[in-house]
Amino acid sequence: MVELALAFTDKDGSYAEHAAVVLTSVFLHTGSQVNVHILHDESLTEENKLRIKQLVSHYNHTVNFYSVVFPPDLAEVVEGAQSVNTWTRGSMYRLLLPFLPNIGKVIYLDCDVLVNLDIQELWNIDLNGYYLAAARDPGVAGLTDILLPLGLNPDNYFNSGVIVFGLDNIRHNPEWYDKMKDFLRQHPSTTLPDQDILNHVFGSNYLQLGGEFNTFSFSNPDQDFNHKIVHFAGETKWWDPASPGYALYEEYLNLTPWRLPESHFAAPLEKKADPWPSLPRLEHEEPAQPEGSAQLPLQHAGKQQPVHKVNPPRHRRIYGMKKTRMKRQSRLKKFRRLTKRKLLKRPVRQAGFGTLKPSRPYQAAPLQRNYRLKPKRRTQNFYPGIVTTPGRGRRVAAPRRRMITELVGRRYTPEP
């Protein structure tokens, strides 16, 4: 099994996406089982963490998350380094890889790396007692004046973007941790803190890798990325549209949960984490298992039973029925009252005489059409079980208007 580690700070949510693209490029070219270790801080959201779990499980690999907490002595030294804030704290997390439990060897990759070969080839390299294996930095020619005052040898200066750490060999040297702190105390103005520290502590005992395992994009004019690990170091990363690797980045990004729907990926299974040593440097979280695992998802032991609604008491139901019936009767009375007012106030227009008002105040005027009240419905009495059917409701009918056919111009002579 290949042990692979990535470390980053995800303040704006973009580096989790870049890490997923790096993992996709590894999974598509590697046939061996890969166990991924993600070193992060509180900036990594649960949503992005779930997406990484779904991606790793989709390709039948495993992933572990470690929330990094600097020890107080190292945190004090890191705060004094000026360039740590220029880069990110995530660049310093790789220095704590020797604290990973039960792991003797691990491959570390930066998030701006494209893996276009089987990572098993890099894993099969035998360290033979070396602390680590890394490729020489091709841009060291212009850094001689900077490296010499730091006590670093430009001829052996390596790049920290792709490293194979021999963790067991490093643990046999108990002074490695104190040497890191001393270098930061003595040189707080270092421009590349993580890379300079690794060269200071392990530069005298490391195995130099071939150029195919860490090819810089700016030193590859023909843009031949076949069977290489391409490192897009510098200001132009491979997720920039102006980068020569932007097309490959988009191709791999389209295979991640950031572009594909969630239904394309199965939910990762969880299992209980292994116990940590007495003095942990990292806070371990539960790893996600690949698809098809025999272990079932854990269920919460205190799951509550669903609550069923209980019908209200009988007297409340009866009271509600009575109240509804009273409202209906009130609306019916109001309708009758308004209808009576309309009948009394409606004027009569006859041919040649203008508008005549009723002679008596309670005399009903003729209507254009008949008004009719709806009959009462079948209702339930106050006591349940006794159903009464009242008689049909009364109907209010008005006579039709009488048509006068006399001519308007005819002289009207009242009768004596």
Side-chain angles (χ1 to χ4, degrees):
M1 178 182 290
V2 178
E3 304 288 345
L4 179 64
L6 281 79
F8 56 87
T9 298
D10 195 34
K11 292 183 179 180
D12 57 352
S14 61
Y15 262 81
E17 179 179 332
H18 304 331
V21 175
V22 175
L23 293 177
T24 303
S25 67
V26 173
F27 298 155
L28 291 178
H29 296 89
T30 302
S32 305
Q33 184 72 21
V34 180
N35 187 24
V36 182
H37 306 272
I38 303 294
L39 279 66
H40 64 92
D41 55 11
E42 67 279 358
S43 62
L44 180 61
T45 62
E46 292 296 328
E47 180 182 3
N48 287 337
K49 189 184 299 183
L50 178 61
R51 288 175 175 175
I52 295 176
K53 288 181 180 180
Q54 291 173 340
L55 174 67
V56 176
S57 300
H58 180 70
Y59 289 96
N60 298 322
H61 301 291
T62 55
V63 61
N64 305 270
F65 291 89
Y66 304 88
S67 182
V68 178
V69 178
F70 280 142
D73 51 353
L74 182 60
E76 181 182 359
V77 177
V78 170
E79 288 293 336
Q82 302 174 3
S83 59
V84 172
N85 295 327
T86 303
W87 299 96
T88 59
R89 279 178 166 262
S91 62
M92 305 293 290
Y93 295 163
R94 73 194 76 182
L95 303 178
L96 301 179
L97 285 175
F99 289 113
L100 290 178
N102 305 323
I103 299 176
K105 180 180 177 182
V106 66
I107 297 176
Y108 171 81
L109 297 178
D110 272 348
C111 291
D112 56 352
V113 165
L114 164 64
V115 179
N116 214 15
L117 52 76
D118 193 338
I119 202 71
Q120 184 71 38
E121 300 180 19
L122 181 59
W123 178 258
N124 291 336
I125 294 178
D126 190 2
L127 295 179
N128 291 325
Y130 290 104
Y131 291 138
L132 55 85
R136 190 171 181 271
D137 196 325
V140 72
L143 301 176
T144 303
D145 297 339
I146 300 176
L147 298 179
L148 291 178
L150 299 177
L152 302 177
N153 186 2
D155 297 333
N156 296 329
Y157 191 79
F158 60 85
N159 182 265
S160 62
V162 180
I163 299 179
V164 182
F165 283 96
L167 300 182
D168 287 339
N169 299 335
I170 295 175
R171 294 182 187 118
H172 291 160
N173 181 12
E175 299 180 354
W176 70 271
Y177 184 71
D178 294 332
K179 288 183 178 181
M180 288 195 311
K181 296 186 296 182
D182 294 340
F183 181 83
L184 279 179
R185 290 194 186 100
Q186 297 173 6
H187 308 283
S189 61
T190 174
T191 56
L192 300 172
D194 59 297
Q195 186 166 293
D196 292 344
I197 290 174
L198 292 174
N199 277 272
H200 171 73
V201 179
F202 308 116
S204 59
N205 186 25
Y206 85 97
L207 178 64
Q208 185 171 342
L209 295 175
E212 69 274 12
F213 294 113
N214 193 354
T215 301
F216 277 52
S217 59
F218 60 80
S219 61
N220 188 14
D222 55 353
Q223 306 301 328
D224 182 16
F225 299 152
N226 294 327
H227 199 74
K228 294 178 182 178
I229 298 179
V230 185
H231 190 183
F232 293 87
E235 297 182 358
T236 305
K237 303 298 183 181
W238 69 321
W239 52 80
D240 295 332
S243 173
Y246 180 72
L248 281 175
Y249 179 86
E250 287 291 319
E251 178 181 348
Y252 293 139
L253 181 61
N254 292 333
L255 302 176
T256 66
W258 276 262
R259 292 289 176 86
L260 291 176
E262 187 176 357
S263 59
H264 184 78
F265 302 91
L269 301 179
E270 304 282 348
K271 78 173 186 178
K272 189 175 180 181
D274 297 331
W276 275 86
S278 57
L279 294 176
R281 299 288 182 172
L282 309 175
E283 295 179 358
H284 189 206
E285 301 178 11
E286 297 179 355
Q289 297 300 315
E291 298 177 2
S293 177
Q295 187 177 1
L296 296 177
L298 299 179
Q299 297 181 356
H300 197 279
K303 186 177 181 180
Q304 298 180 356
Q305 297 296 331
V307 180
H308 300 283
K309 294 184 178 180
V310 182
N311 294 330
R314 178 171 172 271
H315 68 276
R316 292 187 181 178
R317 297 199 307 270
I318 296 174
Y319 174 75
M321 294 164 57
K322 181 180 178 182
K323 190 174 181 181
T324 303
R325 185 168 61 252
M326 293 175 63
K327 288 182 178 180
R328 185 168 60 249
Q329 292 176 355
S330 177
R331 290 196 299 268
L332 186 58
K333 290 179 180 179
K334 184 178 179 180
F335 178 74
R336 290 175 178 173
R337 188 166 55 251
L338 294 176
T339 304
K340 187 175 181 179
R341 290 180 182 177
K342 289 181 180 180
L343 294 176
L344 295 176
K345 294 182 178 180
R346 187 169 186 84
V348 179
R349 178 179 293 276
Q350 298 181 358
F353 299 96
T355 301
L356 300 179
K357 295 184 179 179
S359 59
R360 294 191 301 271
Y362 297 101
Q363 181 180 0
L367 296 176
Q368 294 295 337
R369 67 182 184 87
N370 298 334
Y371 282 85
R372 184 175 64 182
L373 297 177
K374 295 182 180 179
K376 294 183 180 179
R377 296 183 180 178
R378 183 185 179 96
T379 59
Q380 184 176 353
N381 204 343
F382 179 79
Y383 298 97
I386 302 176
V387 180
T388 61
T389 305
R392 296 176 60 87
R394 295 183 179 180
R395 300 189 180 187
V396 179
R400 295 182 178 275
R401 172 180 287 183
R402 184 177 58 185
M403 301 299 295
I404 301 176
T405 58
E406 295 178 351
L407 297 176
V408 178
R410 183 177 177 182
R411 184 179 181 84
Y412 171 71
T413 57
E415 296 179 1

